[in-house]
Amino acid sequence: MVKIKSFFITTAIDYPSGMPHMGHAYEKICADAIARFKRLRGFDVHFSTGTDEHGMKIERKAKKAGKTPQRFVDEMAVFFRRLCEALDISYDDFIRTTEPRHAKVAQEIFRRIYEKGEIYKGMYDGLYCVECETYYTAKDLVDGKCPVHGNEPEEVSEESYFFQMGKYRDRLVEHIKKHPDFIRPESKRNEILNRLHEPLKDLCVSRTSFDWGIPVPIDKKHVQYVWMDALINYLSTVGWPAGKSGKFWPADIHLIGKDIVWHHTVIWGSILMAAGVALPKTVYVHGFVNIKGEKMSKSRGAVVDPLELADAYGTDPLRYFLISEIPFGEDGDFSVGSLITRNNNELADNLGNLINRVLTFIHNKSAKKVPKPSRYDDLDRQLIQNLKVYTDNVGKLMDDLQLQEALDQLMMLAKFGNEYFQAKEPWGGDPANCLYLGANLVKCIAVMLEPFMPSSAERIWAFLRMPGSVHKQRWESAKELSVKAGHTIQKPAPLFKKFKI
Ligand code: ME8
């Protein structure tokens, strides 16, 4: 029997302390493109996302809203699920840290490390940024402010349990050096290795000054520190230590933003080492979506609502824009103007135009039927060759997580398709080869487009009247000449609207 390969990808779980923003949307879209691609590649995929619902930040927001924390997160989590639906995110699990299935696992990890003798009781006297739920020393601050949020951290003094994270420094460095893919891109790996030149302090893993959290299993006066809770969601979603964890753990990719790399490599890495659990294969760090070069921030008023944008311009144009505009792993800028420009020039005029002209021609001039090809000329042979070259190239780029480059190649194939159609002049001589190969090119593009723009891909599939769903195809089938002569297609409709800037 052939063994089906498994693939487990996660996004960070979002704080539902405010409404979902463009950064959340971006991360989910990128993870979704990878998950969809892997399914087309034949992997059995588990793709998880969710919400991080405990901690002081949430407790305070709930209080401000005059609600219990539970009611507050129940209401807010709905918006994050809605974001996933609106963006066509094909998640397999949406995990909430207030679910009992998660608390059980989080407590089990705590208990294992405690029983190993690596958690001790003490007093924490120091600084804490509630916005990022992170402990800081004065040395970490920039002009006395949190390096991520720019606010002044609070002084905290409370009884806490500490995890002997410090003793894992050498093992972490060794792991990072031995597994070059553990932290990607390389710049982030170097950043963490540099920070690990300094001694590593023990980590506070419980809190006593408030109680919105998972109770510490050995001392109910304490709740688990929110990161000692949230990170463990990656194990709970696969039912560790049983359930699907045998098949899916260690995770293939944790996709996260650049502000939480330390938490996902050093903190998470040492927790897993201490608990005797394998480390994820890759922590992939994407950049930030900025607005006019500035970090999105509510206080600066620069937050763009992804739900509104998907509604106004369409989910697929938004997905397309974010992946094509922002180099994966680096920061990029969002603006409605550039979204519209890319939509009009690249989606409507290039991609949409190709699909529309090929299918309309077959529909109107060939009685809806794909004609039978005859002797191929050089251009025809080039097209057949390109189906193979681009399927292989885009596939390789996606295997290597080069999302932007992969999508760019796909658009190059559409551009080639338009040039081919123009050069063949099907309106002049015999259009058979042009339409037969054109239909197959359109089908090839539909398959490869699926990870990026799933609903447009499915619409093209329907115009072609291909059997089944585009979501269930094999990547390799993209290059096959599987739209046969005599096959009847449907009248196409424009795929993309144009917008005025
Ligand atoms: O950090 N552009 O939650 P979060 C791109 N709950 N990505 C961005 C971004 C931006 N402008 N702003 C934030 C948390 N992100 C924790 C995670 S995981 C066990 C716990 C990314 O809601 C951010 O880097 O603040 C993170 O990966 C994700 O959005 C959720 O951020």
Side-chain angles (χ1 to χ4, degrees), residues 12-15 21 23-24 27 52 257 259-260 286 288-289 296:
I13 48 171
D14 308 325
Y15 288 127
H21 56 61
H24 296 137
E27 184 168 302
D52 180 359
D259 53 335
I260 53 175
H286 63 75
F288 264 31
V289 183
M296 281 188 314

Side-chain angles (χ1 to χ4, degrees), residues 171-357:
R171 272 185 69 186
L172 283 167
V173 170
E174 196 191 340
H175 185 88
I176 297 168
K177 288 192 169 158
K178 212 166 139 197
H179 300 91
D181 280 346
F182 177 53
I183 310 177
R184 287 184 64 192
E186 204 186 336
S187 54
K188 298 295 168 198
R189 180 169 170 260
N190 293 337
E191 253 176 60
I192 294 296
L193 280 173
N194 274 340
R195 281 184 70 181
L196 283 171
H197 282 138
E198 304 270 314
L200 184 60
K201 291 214 309 284
D202 288 351
L203 178 76
C204 251
V205 286
S206 79
R207 306 214 47 188
T208 41
S209 54
F210 66 96
D211 61 8
W212 181 237
I214 295 174
V216 165
I218 44 111
D219 186 342
K220 298 289 154 61
K221 276 205 327 276
H222 291 239
V223 290
Q224 292 188 201
Y225 167 47
V226 66
W227 280 98
M228 182 71 180
D229 158 351
L231 287 161
I232 299 167
N233 93 85
Y234 303 131
L235 288 174
S236 332
T237 173
V238 287
W240 181 90
K244 295 183 191 169
S245 64
K247 180 170 182 185
F248 288 110
W249 195 262
D252 291 274
I253 297 177
H254 288 328
L255 181 63
I256 55 157
K258 62 179 185 179
D259 53 335
I260 53 175
V261 189
W262 179 261
H263 306 76
H264 277 79
T265 55
V266 175
I267 299 183
W268 185 220
S270 52
I271 290 174
L272 288 169
M273 281 175 179
V277 181
L279 270 60
K281 291 178 206 157
T282 297
V283 173
Y284 195 98
V285 187
H286 63 75
F288 264 31
V289 183
N290 295 326
I291 292 171
K292 295 199 193 97
E294 288 216 10
K295 206 182 137 190
M296 281 188 314
S297 114
K298 280 194 197 109
S299 49
R300 295 189 189 116
V303 192
V304 179
D305 179 357
L307 283 167
E308 260 175 38
L309 283 169
D311 204 37
Y313 301 103
T315 297
D316 281 355
L318 178 61
R319 290 175 63 114
Y320 175 79
F321 174 77
L322 288 171
I323 297 179
S324 56
E325 181 79 6
I326 303 175
F328 196 47
E330 292 171 37
D331 290 356
D333 228 31
F334 175 83
S335 84
V336 173
S338 25
L339 187 155
I340 293 179
T341 306
R342 277 194 186 264
N343 175 78
N344 293 357
N345 299 348
E346 297 166 23
L347 294 183
D349 287 349
N350 179 26
L351 183 63
N353 180 41
L354 171 70
I355 312 275
N356 201 51
R357 71 206 295 203

